[in-house]
Amino acid sequence: MADRGLLIVLSGPSGVGKGTVRKAIFESEEHDFQYSVSMTTRAKREGEIEGVDYYFRTREEFEAMIEAGEMLEYAEYVGNYYGTPLSYVNQTLDEGKDVFLEIEVQGAQQVKDKVPDGVFIFLTPPDLSELKSRIVNRGTDDMAVIDKRMQVAREEIEMMALYDYAVVNDEVPLAVDRIKKIITSEHFRVDRVIGKYIKMLKEM
Ligand code: 5GP
Protein backbone atom coordinates (compact mmCIF):
# COMPACT_ATOMS: atom_id res chain seq x y z
CA MET A 1 0.00 0.00 0.00
CA ALA A 2 1.24 3.51 -0.81
CA ASP A 3 2.18 5.77 2.09
CA ARG A 4 -0.64 8.13 2.89
CA GLY A 5 -0.28 11.51 1.16
CA LEU A 6 0.29 14.83 2.90
CA LEU A 7 -2.52 17.26 3.58
CA ILE A 8 -1.31 20.77 2.71
CA VAL A 9 -3.30 23.77 3.87
CA LEU A 10 -2.72 27.24 2.43
CA SER A 11 -4.49 29.96 4.35
CA GLY A 12 -4.01 33.54 5.47
CA PRO A 13 -5.84 36.80 5.96
CA SER A 14 -8.49 37.98 3.59
CA GLY A 15 -7.09 39.83 0.59
CA VAL A 16 -3.57 38.43 0.83
CA GLY A 17 -3.81 36.67 -2.54
CA LYS A 18 -4.35 33.01 -1.57
CA GLY A 19 -6.45 32.28 -4.65
CA THR A 20 -3.94 33.88 -7.00
CA VAL A 21 -1.02 31.98 -5.50
CA ARG A 22 -2.96 28.69 -5.54
CA LYS A 23 -3.90 29.16 -9.22
CA ALA A 24 -0.28 29.91 -10.09
CA ILE A 25 0.87 26.74 -8.31
CA PHE A 26 -1.56 24.55 -10.24
CA GLU A 27 -0.83 26.26 -13.55
CA SER A 28 2.89 25.61 -13.10
CA GLU A 29 4.46 22.49 -14.60
CA GLU A 30 6.16 20.90 -11.64
CA HIS A 31 3.69 20.21 -8.92
CA ASP A 32 2.79 16.85 -7.58
CA PHE A 33 -0.32 17.35 -5.49
CA GLN A 34 -4.05 17.38 -6.08
CA TYR A 35 -6.30 20.38 -5.53
CA SER A 36 -9.36 19.75 -3.43
CA VAL A 37 -12.19 21.67 -5.10
CA SER A 38 -14.24 23.46 -2.44
CA MET A 39 -17.97 23.65 -2.14
CA THR A 40 -19.73 27.02 -1.79
CA THR A 41 -23.16 28.61 -1.67
CA ARG A 42 -21.98 31.82 -3.30
CA ALA A 43 -23.07 32.70 -6.83
CA LYS A 44 -20.87 31.58 -9.68
CA ARG A 45 -18.71 34.39 -11.08
CA GLU A 46 -18.22 34.90 -14.77
CA GLY A 47 -15.84 32.32 -16.22
CA GLU A 48 -16.05 29.98 -13.22
CA ILE A 49 -16.72 26.32 -13.93
CA GLU A 50 -18.69 23.87 -11.79
CA GLY A 51 -16.37 21.22 -10.40
CA VAL A 52 -13.24 23.16 -11.37
CA ASP A 53 -13.43 26.39 -9.40
CA TYR A 54 -16.05 25.23 -6.90
CA TYR A 55 -18.99 22.91 -6.48
CA PHE A 56 -21.81 25.46 -6.43
CA ARG A 57 -24.62 24.35 -4.13
CA THR A 58 -27.72 25.79 -2.43
CA ARG A 59 -27.69 26.46 1.32
CA GLU A 60 -30.03 23.51 1.82
CA GLU A 61 -27.69 21.17 -0.03
CA PHE A 62 -24.68 22.49 1.84
CA GLU A 63 -26.39 22.16 5.23
CA ALA A 64 -27.38 18.58 4.37
CA MET A 65 -23.68 17.79 3.74
CA ILE A 66 -22.77 19.31 7.12
CA GLU A 67 -25.50 17.31 8.87
CA ALA A 68 -24.31 14.11 7.25
CA GLY A 69 -20.75 14.73 8.49
CA GLU A 70 -19.46 14.96 4.92
CA MET A 71 -17.38 18.14 5.32
CA LEU A 72 -13.80 18.11 6.57
CA GLU A 73 -14.27 21.77 7.50
CA TYR A 74 -16.55 24.63 6.61
CA ALA A 75 -17.02 28.29 7.45
CA GLU A 76 -19.40 31.11 6.77
CA TYR A 77 -17.57 33.88 5.03
CA VAL A 78 -19.28 37.12 3.95
CA GLY A 79 -22.72 35.51 4.12
CA ASN A 80 -21.93 32.29 2.26
CA TYR A 81 -20.79 28.82 3.18
CA TYR A 82 -17.45 27.52 1.98
CA GLY A 83 -16.16 24.06 2.79
CA THR A 84 -14.06 21.04 1.92
CA PRO A 85 -15.85 17.79 1.06
CA LEU A 86 -14.30 15.00 3.11
CA SER A 87 -14.57 12.08 0.69
CA TYR A 88 -12.23 13.42 -2.01
CA VAL A 89 -9.59 14.34 0.57
CA ASN A 90 -9.64 10.93 2.26
CA GLN A 91 -9.69 8.95 -0.93
CA THR A 92 -6.82 10.90 -2.48
CA LEU A 93 -4.65 10.74 0.66
CA ASP A 94 -5.31 6.98 0.81
CA GLU A 95 -3.99 6.68 -2.74
CA GLY A 96 -0.73 8.16 -1.47
CA LYS A 97 -1.21 11.52 -3.20
CA ASP A 98 -0.82 14.89 -1.52
CA VAL A 99 -3.91 17.08 -1.25
CA PHE A 100 -3.81 20.88 -1.33
CA LEU A 101 -6.49 23.03 0.31
CA GLU A 102 -6.77 26.79 -0.10
CA ILE A 103 -9.17 27.99 2.57
CA GLU A 104 -9.85 30.90 4.90
CA VAL A 105 -8.56 30.92 8.47
CA GLN A 106 -11.57 29.57 10.41
CA GLY A 107 -11.59 26.47 8.22
CA ALA A 108 -7.83 26.06 8.55
CA GLN A 109 -8.23 26.04 12.34
CA GLN A 110 -10.75 23.18 12.08
CA VAL A 111 -8.39 21.18 9.85
CA LYS A 112 -5.56 21.78 12.33
CA ASP A 113 -7.72 20.29 15.10
CA LYS A 114 -8.68 17.24 13.03
CA VAL A 115 -5.45 16.62 11.10
CA PRO A 116 -2.60 17.93 13.25
CA ASP A 117 0.06 16.32 11.04
CA GLY A 118 -0.99 18.39 8.03
CA VAL A 119 1.33 21.06 6.64
CA PHE A 120 -0.05 24.49 7.55
CA ILE A 121 1.18 27.42 5.49
CA PHE A 122 0.19 30.98 6.29
CA LEU A 123 0.44 33.48 3.46
CA THR A 124 1.36 36.90 4.80
CA PRO A 125 0.99 40.29 3.20
CA PRO A 126 4.41 41.89 2.53
CA ASP A 127 3.45 44.99 4.46
CA LEU A 128 3.04 43.03 7.70
CA SER A 129 6.78 42.59 8.12
CA GLU A 130 7.41 46.24 7.27
CA LEU A 131 4.58 47.50 9.39
CA LYS A 132 6.62 49.21 12.05
CA SER A 133 8.83 51.17 9.68
CA ARG A 134 5.84 52.20 7.61
CA ILE A 135 4.00 53.49 10.61
CA VAL A 136 6.99 55.23 12.13
CA ASN A 137 8.24 56.77 8.89
CA ARG A 138 5.02 57.98 7.48
CA GLY A 139 3.93 60.35 10.18
CA THR A 140 0.99 61.47 8.05
CA ASP A 141 -1.73 59.07 9.21
CA ASP A 142 -4.00 60.07 12.00
CA MET A 143 -4.10 57.99 15.18
CA ALA A 144 -7.32 56.19 14.24
CA VAL A 145 -5.77 54.86 11.03
CA ILE A 146 -2.62 53.78 12.83
CA ASP A 147 -4.65 52.05 15.55
CA LYS A 148 -6.75 50.22 12.99
CA ARG A 149 -3.67 49.05 11.13
CA MET A 150 -2.01 47.92 14.34
CA GLN A 151 -5.13 46.00 15.33
CA VAL A 152 -5.31 44.19 11.99
CA ALA A 153 -1.61 43.36 12.19
CA ARG A 154 -1.97 42.03 15.73
CA GLU A 155 -4.81 39.74 14.68
CA GLU A 156 -2.86 38.49 11.69
CA ILE A 157 0.24 37.74 13.75
CA GLU A 158 -1.86 35.90 16.33
CA MET A 159 -3.38 33.77 13.58
CA MET A 160 0.04 33.02 12.13
CA ALA A 161 1.17 31.37 15.36
CA LEU A 162 -1.03 28.34 14.64
CA TYR A 163 0.83 27.52 11.43
CA ASP A 164 4.04 25.71 10.54
CA TYR A 165 5.25 28.14 7.89
CA ALA A 166 4.80 31.83 7.07
CA VAL A 167 5.30 32.69 3.41
CA VAL A 168 5.43 36.32 2.34
CA ASN A 169 3.40 37.05 -0.77
CA ASP A 170 5.57 39.84 -2.12
CA GLU A 171 5.63 38.47 -5.66
CA VAL A 172 3.47 35.56 -6.77
CA PRO A 173 6.23 33.51 -8.47
CA LEU A 174 8.41 33.85 -5.36
CA ALA A 175 5.58 32.75 -3.06
CA VAL A 176 4.86 29.79 -5.37
CA ASP A 177 8.49 28.73 -5.28
CA ARG A 178 8.65 28.97 -1.48
CA ILE A 179 5.52 26.86 -1.08
CA LYS A 180 6.81 24.15 -3.42
CA LYS A 181 10.08 23.98 -1.52
CA ILE A 182 8.24 23.61 1.78
CA ILE A 183 6.18 20.71 0.42
CA THR A 184 9.24 18.97 -0.98
CA SER A 185 11.09 19.23 2.34
CA GLU A 186 8.11 18.06 4.37
CA HIS A 187 8.35 14.68 2.66
CA PHE A 188 11.83 14.18 4.08
CA ARG A 189 10.96 14.79 7.72
CA VAL A 190 12.04 11.90 9.89
CA ASP A 191 8.71 11.72 11.70
CA ARG A 192 7.01 11.17 8.34
CA VAL A 193 9.29 8.37 7.13
CA ILE A 194 10.51 6.57 10.24
CA GLY A 195 7.42 4.34 10.49
CA LYS A 196 8.27 2.85 7.12
CA TYR A 197 11.83 2.02 8.19
CA ILE A 198 10.72 0.50 11.49
CA LYS A 199 8.24 -1.68 9.61
CA MET A 200 10.98 -2.73 7.20
CA LEU A 201 13.26 -3.74 10.09
CA LYS A 202 10.49 -5.77 11.71
CA GLU A 203 9.88 -7.63 8.48
CA MET A 204 13.53 -8.55 7.98
P1 5GP B 1 -13.97 33.58 -3.07
O1 5GP B 1 -15.45 33.81 -2.86
O2 5GP B 1 -13.24 34.85 -3.35
O3 5GP B 1 -13.72 32.52 -4.12
O4 5GP B 1 -13.37 33.00 -1.71
C1 5GP B 1 -13.56 33.66 -0.50
C2 5GP B 1 -12.72 33.02 0.59
O5 5GP B 1 -13.14 31.68 0.83
C3 5GP B 1 -11.23 32.93 0.27
O6 5GP B 1 -10.53 33.41 1.42
C4 5GP B 1 -10.98 31.45 0.10
O7 5GP B 1 -9.66 31.08 0.53
C5 5GP B 1 -12.01 30.86 1.01
N1 5GP B 1 -12.36 29.47 0.71
C6 5GP B 1 -12.43 28.89 -0.51
N2 5GP B 1 -12.74 27.60 -0.38
C7 5GP B 1 -12.88 27.35 0.94
C8 5GP B 1 -13.18 26.18 1.72
O8 5GP B 1 -13.39 25.08 1.22
N3 5GP B 1 -13.23 26.33 3.06
C9 5GP B 1 -12.99 27.50 3.68
N4 5GP B 1 -13.04 27.52 5.00
N5 5GP B 1 -12.69 28.62 2.99
C10 5GP B 1 -12.64 28.54 1.64
Tab-separated table of all heavy atoms in Angstrom, residues 18 38 42 45 54 73 75 77 82-84 102-104 107, ligand 1:
chain	number	residue	atom	x	y	z
A	18	LYS	N	-4.404	34.485	-1.635
A	18	LYS	CA	-4.353	33.008	-1.567
A	18	LYS	C	-4.787	32.362	-2.877
A	18	LYS	O	-4.155	31.445	-3.362
A	18	LYS	CB	-5.296	32.480	-0.473
A	18	LYS	CG	-4.987	32.944	0.918
A	18	LYS	CD	-5.891	32.240	1.932
A	18	LYS	CE	-7.322	32.729	1.977
A	18	LYS	NZ	-7.518	34.089	2.475
A	38	SER	N	-13.355	23.133	-3.565
A	38	SER	CA	-14.239	23.458	-2.443
A	38	SER	C	-15.691	23.524	-2.885
A	38	SER	O	-15.990	23.634	-4.074
A	38	SER	CB	-13.852	24.817	-1.865
A	38	SER	OG	-12.576	24.760	-1.286
A	42	ARG	N	-21.969	30.515	-2.634
A	42	ARG	CA	-21.978	31.821	-3.299
A	42	ARG	C	-22.262	31.652	-4.785
A	42	ARG	O	-22.077	30.573	-5.350
A	42	ARG	CB	-20.670	32.578	-3.042
A	42	ARG	CG	-19.530	32.253	-3.955
A	42	ARG	CD	-18.648	33.493	-4.171
A	42	ARG	NE	-17.314	33.158	-4.632
A	42	ARG	CZ	-17.017	32.743	-5.868
A	42	ARG	NH1	-17.974	32.530	-6.761
A	42	ARG	NH2	-15.759	32.522	-6.197
A	45	ARG	N	-19.178	33.178	-10.389
A	45	ARG	CA	-18.711	34.395	-11.079
A	45	ARG	C	-18.453	34.069	-12.540
A	45	ARG	O	-18.253	32.902	-12.887
A	45	ARG	CB	-17.411	34.908	-10.454
A	45	ARG	CG	-17.587	35.427	-9.045
A	45	ARG	CD	-16.272	36.029	-8.519
A	45	ARG	NE	-16.382	36.290	-7.095
A	45	ARG	CZ	-15.453	35.960	-6.191
A	45	ARG	NH1	-14.330	35.359	-6.560
A	45	ARG	NH2	-15.633	36.237	-4.917
A	54	TYR	N	-15.293	25.618	-8.105
A	54	TYR	CA	-16.047	25.230	-6.902
A	54	TYR	C	-17.108	24.226	-7.309
A	54	TYR	O	-17.443	24.118	-8.494
A	54	TYR	CB	-16.806	26.443	-6.313
A	54	TYR	CG	-15.971	27.412	-5.512
A	54	TYR	CD1	-15.592	28.636	-6.062
A	54	TYR	CD2	-15.585	27.128	-4.206
A	54	TYR	CE1	-14.828	29.545	-5.326
A	54	TYR	CE2	-14.828	28.036	-3.470
A	54	TYR	CZ	-14.451	29.242	-4.031
A	54	TYR	OH	-13.708	30.127	-3.297
A	73	GLU	N	-14.166	20.488	6.790
A	73	GLU	CA	-14.272	21.775	7.496
A	73	GLU	C	-15.220	22.639	6.696
A	73	GLU	O	-15.429	22.396	5.515
A	73	GLU	CB	-12.903	22.456	7.616
A	73	GLU	CG	-12.200	22.764	6.283
A	73	GLU	CD	-12.763	23.930	5.501
A	73	GLU	OE1	-13.264	24.881	6.101
A	73	GLU	OE2	-12.733	23.870	4.262
A	75	ALA	N	-16.907	27.009	6.753
A	75	ALA	CA	-17.019	28.291	7.447
A	75	ALA	C	-18.023	29.142	6.708
A	75	ALA	O	-18.277	28.923	5.521
A	75	ALA	CB	-15.663	28.992	7.468
A	77	TYR	N	-18.446	32.765	5.363
A	77	TYR	CA	-17.566	33.883	5.034
A	77	TYR	C	-18.379	34.846	4.165
A	77	TYR	O	-18.890	34.432	3.123
A	77	TYR	CB	-16.331	33.349	4.294
A	77	TYR	CG	-15.349	34.401	3.841
A	77	TYR	CD1	-14.402	34.942	4.716
A	77	TYR	CD2	-15.379	34.873	2.532
A	77	TYR	CE1	-13.522	35.905	4.301
A	77	TYR	CE2	-14.485	35.845	2.108
A	77	TYR	CZ	-13.567	36.361	2.991
A	77	TYR	OH	-12.684	37.327	2.573
A	82	TYR	N	-18.552	28.063	2.761
A	82	TYR	CA	-17.445	27.515	1.980
A	82	TYR	C	-16.955	26.294	2.741
A	82	TYR	O	-16.828	26.360	3.964
A	82	TYR	CB	-16.267	28.498	1.907
A	82	TYR	CG	-16.518	29.740	1.100
A	82	TYR	CD1	-17.176	30.829	1.661
A	82	TYR	CD2	-16.089	29.827	-0.217
A	82	TYR	CE1	-17.405	31.969	0.916
A	82	TYR	CE2	-16.313	30.975	-0.961
A	82	TYR	CZ	-16.971	32.045	-0.392
A	82	TYR	OH	-17.194	33.183	-1.127
A	83	GLY	N	-16.660	25.219	2.053
A	83	GLY	CA	-16.163	24.064	2.791
A	83	GLY	C	-15.489	23.033	1.907
A	83	GLY	O	-15.562	23.093	0.679
A	84	THR	N	-14.840	22.081	2.588
A	84	THR	CA	-14.058	21.040	1.916
A	84	THR	C	-14.760	19.698	2.061
A	84	THR	O	-14.852	19.184	3.178
A	84	THR	CB	-12.665	20.939	2.576
A	84	THR	OG1	-12.035	22.216	2.554
A	84	THR	CG2	-11.797	19.914	1.869
A	102	GLU	N	-6.958	25.336	-0.228
A	102	GLU	CA	-6.772	26.791	-0.105
A	102	GLU	C	-8.052	27.316	0.523
A	102	GLU	O	-9.106	27.321	-0.104
A	102	GLU	CB	-6.516	27.382	-1.494
A	102	GLU	CG	-6.358	28.895	-1.498
A	102	GLU	CD	-7.542	29.562	-2.149
A	102	GLU	OE1	-7.837	29.290	-3.323
A	102	GLU	OE2	-8.203	30.370	-1.456
A	103	ILE	N	-7.965	27.680	1.795
A	103	ILE	CA	-9.170	27.987	2.568
A	103	ILE	C	-8.923	29.181	3.496
A	103	ILE	O	-7.769	29.525	3.782
A	103	ILE	CB	-9.623	26.764	3.394
A	103	ILE	CG1	-8.561	26.308	4.375
A	103	ILE	CG2	-10.010	25.609	2.469
A	103	ILE	CD1	-8.958	25.083	5.201
A	104	GLU	N	-10.019	29.771	3.983
A	104	GLU	CA	-9.847	30.897	4.897
A	104	GLU	C	-9.497	30.378	6.317
A	104	GLU	O	-9.488	29.175	6.564
A	104	GLU	CB	-11.040	31.869	4.838
A	104	GLU	CG	-12.385	31.266	5.045
A	104	GLU	CD	-12.579	30.829	6.453
A	104	GLU	OE1	-12.616	31.705	7.333
A	104	GLU	OE2	-12.676	29.595	6.664
A	107	GLY	N	-11.635	27.843	8.722
A	107	GLY	CA	-11.593	26.471	8.220
A	107	GLY	C	-10.246	25.822	8.495
A	107	GLY	O	-10.166	24.646	8.870
B	1	5GP	P1	-13.975	33.577	-3.069
B	1	5GP	O1	-15.448	33.806	-2.857
B	1	5GP	O2	-13.239	34.848	-3.346
B	1	5GP	O3	-13.723	32.516	-4.117
B	1	5GP	O4	-13.371	32.996	-1.713
B	1	5GP	C1	-13.561	33.657	-0.503
B	1	5GP	C2	-12.724	33.022	0.592
B	1	5GP	O5	-13.145	31.681	0.830
B	1	5GP	C3	-11.233	32.925	0.273
B	1	5GP	O6	-10.528	33.411	1.418
B	1	5GP	C4	-10.977	31.446	0.097
B	1	5GP	O7	-9.664	31.079	0.532
B	1	5GP	C5	-12.015	30.862	1.012
B	1	5GP	N1	-12.356	29.472	0.709
B	1	5GP	C6	-12.429	28.886	-0.513
B	1	5GP	N2	-12.744	27.599	-0.384
B	1	5GP	C7	-12.882	27.353	0.941
B	1	5GP	C8	-13.182	26.181	1.717
B	1	5GP	O8	-13.386	25.078	1.219
B	1	5GP	N3	-13.230	26.333	3.064
B	1	5GP	C9	-12.989	27.499	3.685
B	1	5GP	N4	-13.040	27.519	5.003
B	1	5GP	N5	-12.692	28.621	2.986
B	1	5GP	C10	-12.640	28.541	1.645
